[in-house]
Amino acid sequence: MTGTMTIKTVLTGITTTGTPHLGNYVGAIKPAIEASRSEAVDSCYFLADYHALIKCHEPETVRRSTLEIAASWLALGLDPERVTFYRQSDIPEITELTWLLTCHTAKGLMNRAHAYKAAVQENVDAGEDPDFAITMGLFCYPILMAADILMFNAHQVPVGRDQVQHLEMARDIAQRFNHHFGSLFVLPEAVVDEHVAVLPGHDGRKMSKSYNNAIPLWLSEKQLRKSIMKIVTNSLEPGEPKETGDSALFAIYSAFATPDERAAMRQAYADGIAWGEAKQQTFELINAELAPARERFEALMARPGDIEEVLQAGARKARERARPLMRRIREAIGIRALG
Ligand code: TRP
């Protein structure tokens, strides 16, 4: 065995809700696509449409989000030949594993999940029944997520801070299963990138759909310019020196700028650049980066059948990987042929 390097499996899921905004692009999509180009990793990226069902019960929205998010990742350069790119609901082994894990997961573990606890707390605060509008899907969400990860023996799972608890739960679940049935699962590790920029939105708070301050990724050039013009600034006049530290506009500019461009903009602030001019430059910078991808995105959206084909090819690859492990798991737990 000469010259082999250990290839790590890196897996991550993208919940298919809504349409991506600049914060998703800078904080998650762009770094993930860059990472997927490394030779040392075997990457699995999937559309977590079963997870999306927990929040969204509108059939047309479910379909539309899946399409838009698949088109976004492909337009931004995810290479489906190089990575395994699939849709969760195309992989029946994931759902099968979800049940097998469910039978070995303590209810008490799920009781401790932050997302579930927050939903209960909200009900209590509102004077409702604690279980009001809480589905078993929400309650069991971490088990589905554990199955996503364990089915592919992922070593590393890049996620946001809010998902770290889910990774701990996946490890707990895997450990318990391995303890009973032998070493079936790799214990996955959460990878939280501390360096990725948290992009502010129009009002300076973290860009988020729920704050209604997000700049969608796929605006037309005209709409993008208009949206950037709406970023809140202070009332300093042209010619007056401006601070960069508390400027959402500067933070957004910086996320797209090279170090030299950033330094030049910092100087322009000190020299009293007019807000309108700083916004125009921010628009031009972002638009230059997004324009080619925007064209690809529109072309892809016009041919949903092509995206479907890419996903079907991805599903074949993913199922080939999942099947052998599923066979071993079934055998190990006693779901076996009788003859
Ligand atoms: N729950 C994740 C989120 O909301 C999405 C997700 C689903 C995921 N399954 C996963 C992430 C498996 C990593 C691995 O961001």
Side-chain angles (χ1 to χ4, degrees), residues 11-15 46 48 51 141 145 148-149 157 159 163:
L11 172 145
T12 203
I14 310 136
T15 307
F46 70 95
H51 278 101
Y141 179 115
M145 184 158 159
D148 290 331
I149 297 166
V157 184
V159 283
Q163 298 294 315

